[in-house]
Amino acid sequence: MCGIIGYVGPREALPILLEGLGRLEYRGYDSAGVATVTPQGHLEVRRAVGKLSALARALEAAPLAGRIGIGHTRWATHGRPSEENAHPHRAGPVAVIHNGIIENYVELRDQLRARRHRLRSETDSELISHLVEEGVKSGLGLAEAVRRAVAELRGSFSVVVLSQSEPDRLVAAKSATPLIVGLGEGESFVASDIPALLGHTRRVVVLEDGEIVELTSQGARFMSFDGRPLERAARVVEWDPVSASKGGFKHYLRKEIAEQPQAWIDTLGGRIAPGSGAVRFETELWPQAAAAALERIVIVGAGASWIASLIGKFIIEELCQVPVEVDYAAEFRYRRAPLNGRTLMVGVSQSGETADTLAAMEEGRARGCHLIALTNTVDSSLARRADAQLYTRCGPEISVTTTKCFLTQIEAFYLFALHFAAALGRLSESEAAALVEPLRAIPQQIEAVIGREREIVKIARKYGKARDFLYLGRGISYPVALEGALKLKEISYIHAEGYSAGEMKHGPIALIDQEMPVVVIIPNDHLFDKTVSNLKEVESREGRVIAVTDHPTEELRQVAYEVIEVPSTHRLLSPVLTTVPLQLLAYHIAVYRGTDVDQPRNLAKSVTVE
C-alpha cells in the first residue's frame, strides 16, 4: 500500500532514495520521508506531508548526506496523514520503515508504554522501531535485534531498519507484504517493488514470507525468522522500466487483478480480534450504544460502487435483519427520500471524490442521518465529510476499470455486517467465528481462480467477436451479472446487459439466439435449481451458455457450452469468487479485440462533476 526503498554502497544515498520513491509514486501515498546515517555517524530523518515535492523542499532547507539510507511513501492506515505519522519512525539510534498492518498493535503499544517508551505517532509502525531499539540497547547486533522484534509481531509486514550503531548495513524482514532485494556491484538495495531498482541493477531476490536479509555494500545474508541461515540465488529481471511499473504484465488492469489476494489481506488485516470472530475497526462507526437506534440503512454510490452496494444489501439484511436501500447517488439527490436521525447513510466511492455521492451525503447530513464513508482514499472529500470512515485499504488502482477496489468493497460490507450484527446482539460468538473463517481462505481461492486463466483465454477468443452478451444471475449473484456486463462493455466496447435470471422471460429472452453468448453466475445456493431451469429456456433458443459455478453438475454441463469452475465459499462471499473470472473474461476479450484496456474511451477513473 506504500513505497519502500533502501540503499547501502559507495554512492550518496539521497539521490537514489528520491529516484526510487519517484518510481513508486504510482502506488499512491499521502506523505514521504527519508533517513540516512551521515558521514559523522549521526542518524538523520526528514519527513513531509503530501507529494515528494514537499519532501524535496524539506531537504533543500535541511540537506542530508550519507552512503546508506532508507526512504518511504506512506498511504495512511493507522493514523491520519501527518508529519508525525510519516515514515521513517525513529527510536533512539534506530529508524524503521514499514508496509502492512500489525494486528497486535494495541497489545504491543501497552507493553511499550509500560516499559516507559515514549510513542510520538498514532501508527502501528512506530512500535517496531522501539522493539528494535530495545534489542540494540541491550547489546544485540542489528540483525538479531530485528529478528527478535519481528518475532513479536502478528500481521502482514515488510520492514527495513537502519541504525547508527551499525552504519554499514540495513536489515529487512518480510511477512505477507512484498519486499525485493537488489544486488549491484559493490552496493545493495531493497524495495517494495521492482521499478525502484531497475535503474541500478537487474539482479534481484524476491523475499519469501518469514525471511530476514542483512544488506551491506558487499552483498546480502539471508536467514529465517528462527535464525537459520538461508541460501537465496538472485535472478535477472528482463523487464524494461515501463513494464516493471506494471509488474511485468501488459496492462495495469491485469496487474491489479493479480493484486487482489494481497488487497484482500490488507483490507482484512487487524480487523478480526485474535481468537474470536469479533470485528473491530480503527475508529468507531457510530456513537456508543447507538446501533440499536438505527432503523434503516441507505447506501449511495455510482458505477461499480453501486453494484458492490447491492451485494452489501444482501449481506447486511441477512446478517443484521435491518432494511437496506441502495440508490444511485445521482438519482437519490433529486428525490425527497424519507430520512431522519435513525437512518444510517453509507456513501461508497473508491476515490472519495465522486461528485454525485458527495452531494447525496450532504443531503443525508441535512436530514440528520449518521454518515459513513466507505472509500479507498484516506482524507478524501467523502472521508472528511462523513462522521466515520471505513477504508478498503487495497492500494491505488491505475486502470480506469475497477477490480481490487470492487472486491474489497464487498469485503468491507461483509466486515461491517458482522460488526453491526454483533452490536445488535444478532450473532453469537460461535456464529461470528464461523462467518469469519471463510474470509481467511479467500486470497488463496482467488489465486486458484486466476490459475484457470488459460481456459478463460480460450473462451474469450471463441466468443470475442460477438456483438452482444447477456449476463444472468439470481439472488446475490444478480449484482455479479451486472458487474460482469459492466466490465465487458467498459473495456471491450461490446454491448452487454446484466439481468436477473428470473426476469429473463420478461424481455431479454426475445434477444437470445445462437449468436448471443449468455454468461450465467450460478453458485451452489438455494437458487441453483431454479437458475438451471432458466438456462434450459436459453438452451431451447440456441443461446450459448457460459456458466461460472462452484457446482458443475451433469445437468448444468448438458446445458452449458462452457463451464468455468470456482472454489466454494460461504454463499454470502460467493460474489467475490464468481466476479474474478468475469474480470479475466472481459480483459482477454478486450485484448483480443485490441481496445485500450487501461484507459477506455470516454471514461474517467473518478467522476468529479455531475
Side-chain angles (χ1 to χ4, degrees):
M1 292 189 295
C2 30
I4 279 176
I5 181 71
Y7 172 78
V8 55
R11 294 187 280 167
E12 280 295 314
L14 187 60
I16 296 168
L17 300 179
L18 292 177
E19 179 196 6
L21 293 179
R23 291 185 180 275
L24 296 172
E25 280 190 292
Y26 70 90
R27 297 170 69 91
Y29 62 100
D30 52 55
S31 57
V34 292
T36 67
V37 176
T38 69
Q40 294 76 33
H42 303 303
L43 177 65
E44 297 282 350
V45 176
R46 303 285 186 269
R47 303 180 294 185
V49 176
K51 297 300 180 184
L52 285 175
S53 57
L55 178 61
R57 288 193 296 271
L59 287 164
E60 286 176 7
L64 279 184
R67 295 177 180 179
I68 184 170
I70 54 177
H72 190 270
T73 50
R74 177 178 188 253
W75 193 84
T77 52
H78 279 73
R80 60 191 171 82
S82 69
E83 187 173 332
E84 294 77 15
N85 290 334
H87 299 218
H89 288 285
R90 179 174 182 172
V94 171
V96 166
I97 52 179
H98 163 236
N99 285 355
I101 302 290
I102 304 304
E103 295 180 1
N104 55 335
Y105 158 73
V106 174
E107 174 188 333
L108 291 174
R109 180 197 63 191
D110 293 345
Q111 291 173 3
L112 286 166
R113 284 177 174 168
R115 298 199 293 266
R116 300 187 180 279
H117 284 263
R118 182 184 175 192
L119 304 177
R120 296 175 172 84
S121 76
E122 304 169 279
T123 71
D124 54 350
S125 305
E126 186 189 0
L127 305 182
I128 304 169
S129 63
H130 289 268
L131 291 172
V132 177
E133 178 200 26
E134 286 188 335
V136 169
K137 286 189 171 181
S138 72
L140 297 177
L142 184 60
E144 181 62 15
V146 171
R147 191 185 73 79
R148 295 197 186 188
V150 297
E152 297 190 50
L153 306 180
R154 291 199 306 270
S156 60
F157 54 85
S158 290
V159 177
V160 183
V161 182
L162 170 67
S163 176
Q164 68 183 32
S165 63
E166 296 185 46
D168 62 342
R169 67 198 60 223
L170 299 174
V171 178
K174 187 257 189 190
S175 176
T177 301
L179 205 58
I180 316 294
V181 171
L183 301 174
E185 295 298 325
E187 56 188 0
S188 298
F189 307 81
V190 62
S192 52
D193 208 349
I194 287 174
L197 306 178
L198 280 190
H200 308 286
T201 183
R202 291 178 180 267
R203 294 178 59 233
V204 304
V205 177
V206 179
L207 281 191
E208 301 289 347
D209 289 351
E211 290 186 351
I212 296 171
V213 61
E214 183 180 53
L215 296 172
T216 68
S217 60
Q218 301 308 307
R221 182 173 70 92
F222 299 90
M223 70 183 80
S224 65
F225 277 13
D226 61 10
R228 290 181 295 106
L230 300 172
E231 293 293 330
R232 297 298 312 277
R235 65 181 179 89
V236 177
V237 175
E238 301 295 343
W239 307 338
D240 59 44
V242 173
S243 297
S245 70
K246 298 175 182 177
F249 294 103
K250 187 176 180 180
H251 300 98
Y252 283 110
L253 178 59
R254 180 61 187 83
K255 175 178 183 280
E256 287 156 7
I257 291 171
E259 289 174 340
Q260 289 178 125
Q262 185 62 49
W264 188 274
I265 291 168
D266 291 338
T267 297
L268 183 62
R271 288 172 166 172
I272 305 296
S276 78
V279 174
R280 60 191 182 192
F281 297 106
E282 301 83 78
T283 59
E284 292 296 331
L285 296 186
W286 43 72
Q288 195 169 9
L294 298 171
E295 297 178 349
R296 173 169 164 257
I297 298 174
V298 174
I299 308 175
V300 292
S305 293
W306 175 78
I307 296 172
S309 300
L310 291 176
I311 296 170
K313 171 185 169 73
F314 278 93
I315 297 169
I316 295 167
E317 286 189 337
E318 176 158 335
L319 296 183
C320 304
Q321 292 298 295
V322 173
V324 178
E325 173 187 337
V326 178
D327 216 329
Y328 284 115
E331 299 298 328
F332 181 86
R333 60 186 294 196
Y334 291 115
R335 65 184 183 84
R336 297 289 292 175
L339 302 171
N340 55 42
R342 296 183 299 280
T343 303
L344 174 63
M345 191 168 185
V346 182
V348 185
S349 168
Q350 171 198 331
S351 67
E353 304 296 339
T354 306
D356 291 322
T357 305
L358 290 169
M361 292 284 273
E362 287 302 320
E363 178 71 13
R365 179 176 298 285
R367 308 277 287 281
C369 299
H370 182 71
L371 306 180
I372 293 178
L374 198 167
T375 181
N376 189 46
T377 310
V378 174
D379 207 33
S380 60
S381 297
L382 187 68
R384 293 196 306 271
R385 295 182 193 184
D387 299 305
Q389 299 77 32
L390 177 49
Y391 292 116
T392 49
R393 305 195 310 205
C394 71
E397 277 191 332
I398 307 301
S399 183
V400 166
T401 298
T402 182
T403 50
K404 59 182 180 176
C405 280
F406 179 80
L407 288 199
T408 55
Q409 284 174 352
I410 298 172
E411 180 182 14
F413 274 122
Y414 191 88
L415 291 168
F416 169 88
L418 291 174
H419 185 70
F420 192 30
L424 296 173
R426 290 174 184 160
L427 276 183
S428 68
E429 285 189 23
S430 60
E431 288 171 329
L435 288 164
V436 160
E437 198 56 35
L439 286 168
R440 306 183 197 280
I442 289 289
Q444 187 173 3
Q445 292 178 314
I446 295 173
E447 293 279 10
V449 176
I450 294 173
R452 306 188 76 97
E453 187 168 15
R454 282 191 177 182
E455 65 187 75
I456 295 171
V457 170
K458 291 179 182 178
I459 294 169
R461 291 174 178 171
K462 186 174 181 179
Y463 299 97
K465 292 182 180 179
R467 295 182 59 186
D468 304 277
F469 268 72
L470 182 63
Y471 284 72
L472 300 176
R474 297 197 73 160
I476 201 169
S477 295
Y478 162 56
V480 180
L482 296 176
E483 173 65 4
L486 178 62
K487 284 285 170 290
L488 186 68
K489 70 181 78 170
E490 278 183 331
I491 62 174
S492 74
Y493 314 150
I494 294 174
H495 169 255
E497 188 170 1
Y499 229 79
S500 165
E503 282 288 296
M504 178 188 62
K505 62 179 70 69
H506 297 285
I509 197 169
L511 303 173
I512 296 173
D513 60 23
Q514 61 184 351
E515 300 299 321
M516 177 177 276
V518 179
V519 180
V520 60
I521 299 88
I522 181 168
N524 185 23
D525 59 17
H526 60 295
L527 293 168
F528 182 89
D529 292 335
K530 292 185 181 298
T531 308
V532 170
S533 296
N534 298 141
L535 292 184
K536 289 183 177 179
E537 298 174 18
V538 174
E539 179 193 32
S540 67
R541 288 156 181 83
E542 299 187 349
R544 306 302 175 97
V545 173
I546 302 169
V548 178
T549 185
D550 62 346
H551 189 52
T553 64
E554 185 59 34
E555 186 179 20
L556 178 59
R557 289 189 180 278
Q558 289 175 0
V559 175
Y561 277 66
E562 321 287 346
V563 175
I564 303 172
E565 284 190 57
V566 300
S568 295
T569 186
H570 190 282
R571 57 190 172 77
L572 293 179
L573 289 171
S574 67
V576 175
L577 299 180
T578 53
T579 293
V580 177
L582 304 185
Q583 296 170 344
L584 289 167
L585 181 64
Y587 170 74
H588 285 291
I589 288 176
V591 170
Y592 175 72
R593 293 169 67 95
T595 60
D596 190 339
V597 171
D598 285 327
Q599 295 182 310
R601 67 190 183 199
N602 306 329
L603 294 178
K605 186 65 176 170
S606 177
V607 182
T608 57
V609 295
E610 183 179 359

